[in-house]
Structure formats: structure tokens, C-alpha cells
Amino acid sequence: MSPPDLNIRTVQADTVWHDPQANRDYYSALLAGMAPDADIIVLPETFTSGFSNDALAQAEGMDGPTVAWLREQAMAMHAVITGSVQIREGGAVFNRMLWAAPDGSVRHYDKRHLFRMAGEHERYAAGSEKIILDYKGWRICPLVCYDLRFPVFSRNRFGQARTDGYDYDLLIYVANWPSPRHFAWQTLLKARAIENQSYVIGVNRTGGDGNGLHYLGGSTVLDFLGQTIVESGDTPQIQSARISHAELTAFRERFPVHLDADAFTLHD
């Protein structure tokens, strides 16, 4: 029996610059107005600050107010809520994608590919591994923004992490992807869906930030053919989509690209 369909909510918003409490209040209001049937709610990258090297001073620990807020919201909404924030651990700060589940647990993925064109690699620590999350029978891979440009890291293999199946069924990217490179955002998301035979969610922000950058949004949910299920425009908005594991499985069986795929391993 296939896992159940998942109800997805993409939350595309104009993040407040360098004000974690204002952002928690802002996103709380958006979540409060949401229909209570979501399974996964996706917020943008660095949703408490915007994408900023100068936000390191505001980085919290895993015992800080934002992780507590996410946990409370997930339990209240009976849904997973995910997005990235700056988290300090030891002497380093990570761009950390948090995965808060309705049972109160929180897991995380640390952004591996740091955006050197903005100096992110000089201020933040890089993550070391990809993670796969299990939720309601789905296998889900969370990634962050610039990771989208590295298809080998996100490659969906067959018979390696799982002897009888694919690494994952759903790929999620959270981002602050500015308007000058919006075409790349749209194109690469479709490419990742097609080449990995996977659903893909991409959630971007809108508006402008303190770096003088503008964002066109374009948050989307794509099916395993790269076709758009739902897509946002350039304004703050919440979109809903339903994805089917049964349809995904049927397509993979009809079109078994994995039988001709190259085996490989990744090394740091």
C-alpha cells in the first residue's frame, strides 16, 4: 500500500530584515490564517533575518526562541514546518534548515554549498552531509538555496541508501534567490525534478532586503516530470498542493531510468 498523499503549503513572504521577533510574529500570523489540513509547511531560507552575513550576531542556539517557536507551531498545526535560520553551534554558525515535526521533534540539515559570491563561505560553516527524512512513509531530502546548483549532491540514487528503492521521493529547497537569477531558479528546479524522478518544492522570498537585492518569489511545487502543480507570483502568498506517492511510484515503474544510472559515491 502506498503512503498517503501529502498536502503541501508553500509560504512565500517578505521577510523583515534583521528582526527575528518581528519575523516570528509575521509568520505566526500567516500560519494562523492557514487551513488546518497541511502535512508539510515550507518557509523560506533565513526566515528570521533575510540572507545576511551581518546576521551572525543574532544567531541562536538550538535551545533558542526560534527553534522553540517552530516546535510550538508544528505541534499546534499538526504538521511539519521547515525553513532555515542562522544557528550557532560551538564556535561556528550554520545556515541550518530545521525540520520541526508535530510530535515535537526537530531535525536539521546544514547548508553544504555556501554562496561565495556573497561571502557566505567566509562567515558561515558548511554542512558535511545530506540527510533523508522519513515522514508518513515518504522519504524527503531537505536542501538550501545554492545547493540547487550542484546536481551531483542532490542526485537521487537507486539501490544504494536503500537496497530496494530510491534515496528520496520529495526534494525541498528553501531559498533567498534574487531576481537577476530568477530564470536559473525556475530552470534548475525543473531539472532537479526531471533528472531525479522526484517531486520538488522550492520556496523563495519576495520583496527587497537590506543588501539592496530584490526577489521575485516564484515558489513552486513540481511533479516528477518537472511540470508545475502550483507556482506563486512575485507577491507574498501561500499556495497549496497535493502530491501523490502512488502516482510517483507508477511513473517510476513505467519509466525506470534508474536501471541505466551511473553508480558513484561522494567524497569531501
Side-chain angles (χ1 to χ4, degrees), residues 116-167:
R116 70 175 51 249
M117 282 67 82
E120 188 182 20
H121 67 300
E122 297 173 345
R123 307 292 295 279
Y124 290 82
S128 59
E129 61 181 307
K130 182 169 68 176
I131 68 167
I132 305 296
L133 301 160
D134 289 293
Y135 182 61
K136 295 190 173 183
W138 289 71
R139 291 174 62 82
I140 301 167
C141 179
L143 296 172
V144 180
C145 202
Y146 192 41
D147 288 330
L148 178 58
R149 288 185 178 270
F150 300 92
V152 174
F153 185 65
S154 61
R155 183 64 173 159
N156 200 5
R157 303 165 304 166
F158 186 92
Q160 295 190 49
R162 302 174 66 195
T163 57
D164 61 343
Y166 288 85
D167 290 348

Coordinates of all heavy atoms in Angstrom, one line a residue, residues 116-167:
R116 N 29.6 31.8 -2.2 CA 30.9 32.6 -2.1 C 30.8 34.0 -2.8 O 31.5 34.9 -2.4 CB 32.1 31.8 -2.7 CG 32.1 31.6 -4.2 CD 33.4 31.0 -4.7 NE 33.7 29.7 -4.0 CZ 34.7 29.6 -3.1 NH1 35.5 30.6 -2.9 NH2 34.9 28.4 -2.5
M117 N 29.9 34.1 -3.8 CA 29.7 35.4 -4.4 C 29.2 36.5 -3.5 O 29.3 37.7 -3.7 CB 28.8 35.3 -5.6 CG 29.5 34.7 -6.9 SD 30.0 32.9 -6.7 CE 28.4 32.1 -7.1
A118 N 28.6 36.0 -2.3 CA 28.2 37.0 -1.3 C 29.0 36.8 0.0 O 28.7 37.4 1.0 CB 26.7 36.7 -1.0
G119 N 30.1 36.0 -0.1 CA 31.0 35.9 1.0 C 30.5 35.0 2.1 O 31.0 34.9 3.2
E120 N 29.4 34.2 1.8 CA 28.8 33.3 2.8 C 29.9 32.3 3.3 O 29.9 31.9 4.5 CB 27.6 32.6 2.3 CG 26.8 31.8 3.3 CD 25.7 31.0 2.7 OE1 25.6 30.8 1.5 OE2 24.8 30.6 3.5
H121 N 30.7 31.8 2.4 CA 31.8 30.8 2.8 C 32.8 31.4 3.8 O 33.5 30.6 4.4 CB 32.4 30.3 1.6 CG 33.3 31.3 0.9 ND1 32.8 32.5 0.3 CD2 34.6 31.3 0.6 CE1 33.7 33.2 -0.2 NE2 34.9 32.5 -0.1
E122 N 32.9 32.7 3.9 CA 33.9 33.3 4.8 C 33.3 33.5 6.2 O 34.0 33.7 7.2 CB 34.3 34.7 4.3 CG 35.0 34.5 3.0 CD 35.3 35.9 2.3 OE1 34.7 36.9 2.8 OE2 36.2 36.0 1.4
R123 N 32.0 33.4 6.4 CA 31.3 33.7 7.7 C 30.6 32.5 8.3 O 30.5 32.5 9.5 CB 30.3 34.9 7.5 CG 30.9 36.1 6.8 CD 31.9 36.9 7.6 NE 31.3 37.4 8.8 CZ 30.6 38.6 8.9 NH1 30.4 39.2 7.8 NH2 30.1 39.0 10.0
Y124 N 30.2 31.7 7.4 CA 29.4 30.5 7.9 C 30.2 29.2 7.8 O 31.1 29.1 7.0 CB 28.1 30.4 7.1 CG 27.1 31.4 7.4 CD1 27.1 32.7 6.8 CD2 26.0 31.2 8.3 CE1 26.2 33.7 7.0 CE2 25.1 32.2 8.6 CZ 25.2 33.4 7.9 OH 24.3 34.4 8.2
A125 N 29.8 28.2 8.6 CA 30.4 26.9 8.5 C 29.6 26.1 7.5 O 28.3 26.2 7.5 CB 30.5 26.2 9.8
A126 N 30.2 25.2 6.7 CA 29.5 24.4 5.8 C 29.0 23.1 6.4 O 29.8 22.5 7.3 CB 30.3 24.1 4.6
G127 N 27.9 22.6 6.1 CA 27.5 21.2 6.5 C 28.3 20.2 5.8 O 28.9 20.5 4.8
S128 N 28.2 19.0 6.3 CA 29.1 17.9 5.7 C 28.3 16.8 5.1 O 28.9 16.0 4.4 CB 29.9 17.3 6.9 OG 29.1 16.8 7.9
E129 N 27.0 16.7 5.3 CA 26.3 15.6 4.7 C 24.8 15.9 4.4 O 24.2 16.8 5.0 CB 26.3 14.4 5.7 CG 25.6 14.7 7.0 CD 25.7 13.5 8.0 OE1 25.3 12.4 7.6 OE2 26.1 13.7 9.1
K130 N 24.3 15.2 3.4 CA 22.9 15.2 3.0 C 22.2 14.3 4.0 O 22.7 13.3 4.4 CB 22.8 14.7 1.6 CG 21.4 14.8 1.0 CD 21.4 14.5 -0.5 CE 21.8 13.2 -0.9 NZ 21.7 12.9 -2.3
I131 N 20.9 14.7 4.3 CA 20.1 13.8 5.2 C 18.9 13.5 4.4 O 18.4 14.2 3.5 CB 19.8 14.5 6.5 CG1 18.8 15.7 6.4 CG2 21.1 14.9 7.3 CD1 18.2 16.1 7.7
I132 N 18.3 12.3 4.8 CA 17.0 11.9 4.3 C 16.1 11.7 5.5 O 16.4 11.0 6.4 CB 17.1 10.6 3.5 CG1 18.1 10.7 2.4 CG2 15.7 10.2 2.9 CD1 17.8 11.7 1.3
L133 N 14.9 12.3 5.4 CA 13.9 12.3 6.5 C 12.8 11.4 6.1 O 12.3 11.4 4.9 CB 13.4 13.7 6.8 CG 14.5 14.7 7.1 CD1 14.0 16.1 6.9 CD2 14.9 14.5 8.6
D134 N 12.3 10.6 7.0 CA 11.1 9.8 6.8 C 9.9 10.4 7.4 O 9.9 10.8 8.6 CB 11.3 8.4 7.4 CG 12.3 7.6 6.6 OD1 12.0 7.2 5.5 OD2 13.4 7.3 7.2
Y135 N 8.8 10.6 6.6 CA 7.6 11.2 7.2 C 6.4 10.6 6.5 O 6.3 10.7 5.2 CB 7.7 12.7 7.0 CG 6.5 13.5 7.5 CD1 6.2 13.4 8.9 CD2 5.7 14.2 6.7 CE1 5.1 14.1 9.4 CE2 4.6 14.9 7.2 CZ 4.3 14.9 8.5 OH 3.2 15.6 9.0
K136 N 5.5 10.0 7.2 CA 4.3 9.4 6.7 C 4.6 8.4 5.5 O 3.8 8.4 4.6 CB 3.3 10.5 6.3 CG 2.8 11.3 7.5 CD 1.6 12.2 7.2 CE 1.1 12.8 8.4 NZ -0.1 13.6 8.2
G137 N 5.7 7.7 5.6 CA 6.0 6.8 4.5 C 6.8 7.4 3.3 O 7.2 6.7 2.4
W138 N 6.9 8.7 3.3 CA 7.7 9.4 2.3 C 9.1 9.6 2.7 O 9.4 9.8 3.9 CB 7.1 10.8 2.0 CG 5.8 10.8 1.3 CD1 4.6 10.4 1.9 CD2 5.5 11.3 0.0 NE1 3.6 10.6 0.9 CE2 4.1 11.1 -0.2 CE3 6.3 11.8 -1.0 CZ2 3.5 11.5 -1.4 CZ3 5.7 12.1 -2.2 CH2 4.3 12.0 -2.4
R139 N 10.0 9.6 1.8 CA 11.5 9.9 2.0 C 11.7 11.2 1.4 O 11.5 11.5 0.3 CB 12.4 8.8 1.5 CG 12.2 7.5 2.2 CD 13.0 6.3 1.6 NE 14.4 6.6 1.6 CZ 15.3 6.4 2.6 NH1 14.8 6.0 3.8 NH2 16.6 6.6 2.5
I140 N 12.3 12.1 2.3 CA 12.3 13.6 1.9 C 13.7 14.1 2.1 O 14.4 13.8 3.1 CB 11.3 14.4 2.8 CG1 9.9 13.8 2.5 CG2 11.4 15.9 2.5 CD1 8.9 14.3 3.5
C141 N 14.2 14.8 1.1 CA 15.6 15.4 1.2 C 15.5 16.9 1.2 O 15.1 17.6 0.3 CB 16.4 15.0 -0.1 SG 18.0 15.7 -0.1
P142 N 15.9 17.5 2.4 CA 15.9 19.0 2.5 C 17.2 19.6 2.1 O 18.3 19.2 2.6 CB 15.6 19.2 4.0 CG 16.3 18.0 4.6 CD 16.2 16.9 3.6
L143 N 17.2 20.7 1.3 CA 18.4 21.4 0.9 C 18.1 22.9 0.9 O 17.0 23.3 1.0 CB 18.8 20.9 -0.5 CG 19.2 19.4 -0.6 CD1 19.4 19.0 -2.1 CD2 20.5 19.1 0.2
V144 N 19.2 23.7 0.7 CA 19.1 25.1 0.9 C 19.7 25.9 -0.3 O 20.9 25.7 -0.6 CB 19.8 25.6 2.2 CG1 19.7 27.1 2.3 CG2 19.2 24.9 3.4
C145 N 18.9 26.6 -1.0 CA 19.3 27.7 -1.9 C 20.4 27.3 -2.9 O 20.2 26.6 -3.9 CB 19.7 29.0 -1.2 SG 19.5 30.5 -2.2
Y146 N 21.7 27.7 -2.7 CA 22.8 27.5 -3.6 C 23.0 26.0 -3.8 O 23.6 25.6 -4.9 CB 24.0 28.1 -3.0 CG 25.2 28.3 -3.8 CD1 25.2 28.6 -5.2 CD2 26.5 28.1 -3.3 CE1 26.3 28.8 -6.0 CE2 27.7 28.2 -4.1 CZ 27.6 28.6 -5.4 OH 28.7 28.7 -6.2
D147 N 22.6 25.1 -2.9 CA 22.7 23.7 -3.2 C 22.0 23.3 -4.5 O 22.4 22.3 -5.1 CB 22.0 22.9 -2.1 CG 22.7 22.9 -0.7 OD1 24.0 23.0 -0.7 OD2 22.1 22.8 0.3
L148 N 21.1 24.1 -4.9 CA 20.3 23.8 -6.1 C 21.2 23.7 -7.4 O 20.9 23.0 -8.3 CB 19.2 24.9 -6.4 CG 18.4 24.8 -7.6 CD1 17.6 23.5 -7.7 CD2 17.4 26.0 -7.6
R149 N 22.4 24.4 -7.3 CA 23.3 24.4 -8.5 C 24.2 23.2 -8.6 O 25.0 23.1 -9.5 CB 24.1 25.7 -8.5 CG 23.3 27.0 -8.8 CD 24.2 28.2 -8.8 NE 23.5 29.4 -9.2 CZ 23.3 29.8 -10.4 NH1 23.8 29.1 -11.5 NH2 22.6 30.9 -10.7
F150 N 24.1 22.3 -7.6 CA 25.0 21.1 -7.6 C 24.3 19.8 -7.7 O 23.9 19.2 -6.7 CB 25.8 21.2 -6.3 CG 26.6 22.5 -6.2 CD1 26.1 23.6 -5.6 CD2 27.9 22.6 -6.9 CE1 26.8 24.8 -5.6 CE2 28.6 23.8 -6.9 CZ 28.0 24.9 -6.2
P151 N 24.0 19.4 -8.9 CA 23.1 18.2 -9.1 C 23.7 16.9 -8.6 O 22.9 16.0 -8.2 CB 23.0 18.2 -10.6 CG 24.1 18.9 -11.2 CD 24.4 20.0 -10.2
V152 N 25.0 16.8 -8.5 CA 25.6 15.5 -8.0 C 25.2 15.3 -6.5 O 24.9 14.2 -6.1 CB 27.1 15.5 -8.2 CG1 27.7 14.3 -7.6 CG2 27.5 15.5 -9.7
F153 N 25.3 16.4 -5.8 CA 25.0 16.3 -4.3 C 23.5 15.9 -4.1 O 23.2 15.2 -3.2 CB 25.3 17.6 -3.6 CG 25.1 17.6 -2.1 CD1 25.9 16.8 -1.4 CD2 24.2 18.4 -1.5 CE1 25.8 16.8 0.0 CE2 24.0 18.3 -0.2 CZ 24.8 17.5 0.6
S154 N 22.7 16.4 -4.9 CA 21.2 16.1 -4.8 C 20.8 14.9 -5.6 O 19.6 14.6 -5.6 CB 20.4 17.3 -5.1 OG 20.6 17.7 -6.5
R155 N 21.7 14.2 -6.2 CA 21.3 13.1 -7.1 C 20.5 12.0 -6.3 O 20.9 11.5 -5.3 CB 22.5 12.5 -7.7 CG 22.3 11.4 -8.7 CD 21.5 11.9 -9.9 NE 21.3 10.9 -11.0 CZ 20.4 10.9 -11.9 NH1 19.5 11.9 -12.0 NH2 20.3 10.0 -12.8
N156 N 19.4 11.6 -6.9 CA 18.6 10.5 -6.4 C 19.0 9.2 -6.9 O 18.8 8.8 -8.1 CB 17.1 10.8 -6.7 CG 16.2 10.1 -5.8 OD1 16.5 9.5 -4.8 ND2 14.9 10.2 -6.2
R157 N 19.7 8.4 -6.0 CA 20.2 7.1 -6.5 C 19.2 6.0 -6.2 O 18.3 6.2 -5.4 CB 21.5 6.8 -5.7 CG 22.6 7.9 -6.0 CD 23.7 7.7 -5.0 NE 23.2 7.8 -3.6 CZ 23.9 7.4 -2.5 NH1 25.1 7.0 -2.6 NH2 23.3 7.5 -1.3
F158 N 19.4 4.9 -6.8 CA 18.6 3.7 -6.6 C 19.4 2.5 -6.1 O 20.5 2.3 -6.6 CB 17.8 3.3 -7.8 CG 16.8 2.2 -7.6 CD1 15.5 2.5 -7.4 CD2 17.2 0.8 -7.7 CE1 14.6 1.5 -7.2 CE2 16.3 -0.2 -7.5 CZ 14.9 0.1 -7.2
G159 N 19.0 1.9 -5.0 CA 19.7 0.7 -4.5 C 20.9 0.9 -3.8 O 21.7 0.0 -3.6
Q160 N 21.1 2.2 -3.3 CA 22.4 2.5 -2.5 C 22.0 2.8 -1.1 O 22.3 2.0 -0.2 CB 23.1 3.6 -3.2 CG 23.7 3.1 -4.6 CD 24.7 4.1 -5.1 OE1 25.6 4.5 -4.5 NE2 24.4 4.4 -6.4
A161 N 21.4 3.9 -0.8 CA 20.9 4.2 0.5 C 19.8 3.2 1.0 O 19.7 2.8 2.1 CB 20.4 5.6 0.6
R162 N 19.0 2.8 0.0 CA 18.0 1.7 0.2 C 18.3 0.6 -0.9 O 18.3 0.9 -2.1 CB 16.6 2.3 0.0 CG 16.3 3.4 0.9 CD 14.9 4.0 0.6 NE 13.8 3.1 0.8 CZ 12.6 3.2 0.3 NH1 12.3 4.2 -0.5 NH2 11.7 2.3 0.6
T163 N 18.3 -0.6 -0.5 CA 18.6 -1.7 -1.4 C 17.5 -1.9 -2.4 O 17.7 -2.4 -3.5 CB 18.9 -3.0 -0.7 OG1 17.7 -3.3 0.1 CG2 20.1 -2.9 0.2
D164 N 16.2 -1.5 -2.0 CA 15.1 -1.8 -2.9 C 14.4 -0.5 -3.4 O 13.2 -0.6 -3.8 CB 14.1 -2.6 -2.1 CG 13.6 -2.0 -0.9 OD1 14.2 -1.0 -0.4 OD2 12.5 -2.4 -0.3
G165 N 15.0 0.7 -3.3 CA 14.3 1.8 -3.8 C 15.2 3.1 -3.9 O 16.5 3.0 -3.8
Y166 N 14.6 4.2 -4.2 CA 15.3 5.4 -4.4 C 15.7 6.0 -3.0 O 15.1 5.8 -2.0 CB 14.3 6.4 -5.1 CG 14.1 6.1 -6.6 CD1 13.2 5.2 -7.0 CD2 14.9 6.7 -7.5 CE1 13.0 4.9 -8.3 CE2 14.7 6.5 -8.9 CZ 13.7 5.6 -9.3 OH 13.5 5.3 -10.6
D167 N 16.6 6.9 -3.1 CA 17.0 7.7 -1.8 C 15.9 8.4 -1.3 O 15.6 8.5 -0.1 CB 18.2 8.6 -2.1 CG 19.5 7.9 -2.4 OD1 19.6 6.7 -2.2 OD2 20.4 8.6 -2.9

